[in-house]
Amino acid sequence: MNAFPTRKRPASTGRGFRSSDFNYSKPTTSRTPSNWRERLPSPRDYYAARIEKLSRPNAAGWAQGRCPFHEDHDASLSVNLTAARGAWRCFAGCGAGDLVSFHERLRGLGFVEAVRDLVGVR
Ligand SMILES: [Zn+2]
């Protein structure tokens, strides 16, 4: 199974992927770009697209929304929209982590697969 992310196919987003974004001299299937941290989506964009009922962030950048990891009727999940790593914490007990760990859990991926998915590399 080699499922490509359902959204954000580089060819159709018009986001201006340059050929220099990819290293064609080596198979990208076996490598994660060394600058992957810089290429992660911003926590603001990432979480806004995936969390229901996301509130406006407070002065420290924390916003609350529905946790996708449990049957959440309140806004148990806090995410940081400004910190570089996009910290998250579920106050109902689902845990905490950063943007990559959130994506791992949301998609059921391992770390490397989650990073590749986030930066748009197969
Ligand atoms: Zn939760």
Side-chain angles (χ1 to χ4, degrees):
M1 196 171 88
N2 186 22
F4 196 76
T6 52
R7 306 178 227 196
K8 295 194 174 179
R9 292 183 70 89
S12 61
T13 56
R15 249 185 349 118
F17 275 77
R18 300 177 303 274
S19 59
S20 58
D21 287 345
F22 302 97
N23 182 353
Y24 289 108
S25 65
K26 289 176 181 166
T28 53
T29 48
S30 61
R31 283 183 64 89
T32 302
S34 57
N35 65 341
W36 63 268
R37 280 201 185 279
E38 299 158 27
R39 294 172 51 167
L40 292 176
S42 78
R44 184 180 297 273
D45 293 345
Y46 178 84
Y47 287 127
R50 289 165 180 81
I51 296 174
E52 286 181 57
K53 310 278 186 192
L54 192 64
S55 72
R56 296 176 71 84
N58 67 14
W62 289 95
Q64 281 73 46
R66 282 196 184 150
C67 175
F69 306 132
H70 76 278
E71 198 61 39
D72 194 6
H73 300 292
D74 305 308
S76 305
L77 184 75
S78 282
V79 293
N80 195 297
L81 303 183
T82 54
R85 295 202 181 179
W88 63 274
R89 175 178 295 276
C90 171
F91 289 98
C94 295
D98 64 6
L99 192 150
V100 176
S101 75
F102 187 93
H103 197 64
E104 285 178 55
R105 195 146 168 178
L106 191 68
R107 293 286 181 84
L109 299 171
F111 177 81
V112 172
E113 288 73 24
V115 167
R116 286 193 190 138
D117 196 25
L118 286 166
V119 304
V121 174
R122 288 187 198 225

